[in-house]
Amino acid sequence: MSSKVKCPICGTEFEGGSFDDCPKCDWTFLGYENELGLDEKESSNPVTIRQAKELVEKGMNIWGEPLPKA
């Protein structure tokens, strides 16, 4: 069952749940990001929360590719 979740990286709300990818920044939503340190890397995403947020601020997804146009 999916519901609306909010990406902890870019703030996009999307239908999904744990281990679904954000349609904007491609972050794999875990549901327990608040338990991770900003510089802690886990296996579902290629970068840390801090790195992902920095990439989004620069207009890129977590893979360093341009964010989709709104």
Side-chain angles (χ1 to χ4, degrees), residues 2-58:
S2 68
S3 59
K4 276 217 181 266
V5 295
K6 186 174 182 178
C7 178
I9 304 304
C10 69
T12 299
E13 288 190 7
F14 63 98
E15 290 288 328
S18 294
F19 300 104
D20 286 330
D21 294 340
C22 172
K24 183 174 180 182
C25 72
D26 214 30
W27 179 263
T28 300
F29 180 78
L30 304 170
Y32 58 85
E33 282 85 355
N34 60 342
E35 297 174 21
L36 296 173
L38 288 178
D39 296 311
E40 186 176 350
K41 186 174 174 310
E42 50 66 55
S43 61
S44 297
N45 291 294
V47 294
T48 66
I49 291 173
R50 184 186 315 273
Q51 291 168 326
K53 287 183 176 188
E54 288 172 356
L55 285 166
V56 167
E57 284 179 17
K58 294 176 184 174

